[in-house]
Amino acid sequence: MKTFVYIDHFKGEVQPASWEAIGVAKSFGTAVALVFGEGTDEIAKAAFEYGADEVIVVDDAALTDYRAEPYASTLSALASSATPDLILFPTTARTRELAAMAAVDLSTGVLTDVAKFEKNGDQLVATRPIYEGKVLEKTVCSGKPIMATIPARAFPKPERVAGKTGTLTKGVAKTDALTTVVGYSASESAVNIGDAAVIVSGGRGVSNNPSLTPPADMDEKQAELWVAQQGFALITELAKLLGGAVGASRAAVDGGYVTYAHQVGQTGKVVSPDLYIACGISGAIQHLVGMRNSKVIVAINKDADAPVFKQARYGVVGDLFAIVPALTEAMKKKMGK
Ligand SMILES: Cc1cc2nc3c(=O)[nH]c(=O)nc-3n(C[C@H](O)[C@H](O)[C@H](O)COP(=O)(O)OP(=O)(O)OC[C@H]3O[C@@H](n4cnc5c(N)ncnc54)[C@H](O)[C@@H]3O)c2cc1C
């Protein structure tokens, strides 16, 4: 089976699930990595080192910035001539668009957010979560090539073998486009909780510490935010120590404690880190669907009956303002910091 793996990157920074997709492709047969952009030598090198048998590089100034039209046309043209059985993408905002456009060109279908593949004779059966993860749907694609996106951290990342090489092929860009990127500006989406191996998350409980006294001139909302800032400072310190990212419940985001980019859940990000520490989060279903695939869940909550404890491997009943700093200190000692 020949699989194209689209390596998704922004200005040379690759979405790690691209490497995970190479691992999936290798488990089926031949992995051909597709690297589009300008000045992409380092990415092509990394694709070989993560196990690609072949890398097709389309290096063209017209592809410097991602735009759906030229990227989809270039991908469709390559797929039409090389006829892969499967095209894999890491799930990102860009690839959802790219895969959909290329699928229209190729008259095939896209299976999104696939968490598992099984071979059943000639068929490739994809398992993907639907209804907020309550049901796992098994789907097949009757079009050719099959196209599928995989979420971050759903499949193991192959080991990187320094210096490994393979066949390097140069592809031709299709450059017709009606849109042009005229610039970028930094946005809150700089936070990427989707790829984090450790996430320490805070909820509404982060603003609840009666022993803290906000400055007297603050109104009620300002005082709540002030307390939440102290709480999130503790959470951020623990997250940094563990090399992780800061997550949040929707209540914390709606309360203005942190930006939306941190939100985990049904209307935020779905994450699956190795370790998820939920602090002052009750465990509403809309939050749980975003984090219940984490490998180890730790919950810290004052309320022993909080539903989050049902999902947690380890639960600590108590005040996060006491427990989070104690955990940070204990981890510092353990890590010799
Ligand atoms: C359509 C829809 C979509 C939604 N999408 C999302 C989503 O994507 N993500 C999401 O998170 N929610 C989402 N929600 C909201 C969700 O239903 C809950 O309201 C929200 O998750 C609650 O956030 P929370 O647990 O932080 O707050 P709460 O439910 O208020 O829980 C706060 C918890 O903190 C504990 N606590 C208080 N003080 C302390 C302390 N000092 N130390 C320790 N524990 C303490 C309390 O015991 C309590 O359990 C959605 C809702 C709807 C209707």
Side-chain angles (χ1 to χ4, degrees), residues 204 208 249-250 263-264 266-267 282 286-287 301 319-320:
R204 203 193 312 268
N208 177 31
S249 71
R250 180 161 158 179
Q263 186 176 317
V264 172
Q266 181 187 332
T267 44
S282 59
Q286 296 87 356
H287 187 81
N301 198 301
D319 186 345
L320 71 91

Side-chain angles (χ1 to χ4, degrees), residues 3-5 7 19 22 30-36 40-58 78 164-171:
T3 304
F4 271 7
V5 178
I7 308 298
W19 310 136
I22 290 181
T30 308
V32 181
L34 306 180
V35 180
F36 297 176
T40 52
D41 291 356
E42 282 306 308
I43 301 176
K45 183 170 168 277
F48 282 127
E49 293 184 343
Y50 277 110
D53 302 289
E54 181 182 351
V55 178
I56 301 178
V57 169
V58 186
L78 287 172
K164 186 184 170 297
T165 55
T167 311
L168 184 71
T169 308
K170 296 225 181 278

Side-chain angles (χ1 to χ4, degrees), residues 132 202-210 248-254 257 260 263-269 276 278-291 300-309 316-324:
E132 294 135 37
R204 203 193 312 268
V206 167
S207 64
N208 177 31
N209 185 347
S249 71
R250 180 161 158 179
V253 173
D254 288 351
Y257 311 164
Y260 171 71
Q263 186 176 317
V264 172
Q266 181 187 332
T267 44
K269 285 235 173 75
Y276 188 88
C279 310
I281 293 176
S282 59
I285 182 65
Q286 296 87 356
H287 187 81
L288 297 181
V289 295
M291 47 65 100
I300 300 168
N301 198 301
K302 273 173 120 165
D303 175 4
D305 295 325
V308 69
F309 286 125
V316 186
V317 179
D319 186 345
L320 71 91
F321 283 87
I323 289 158
V324 173

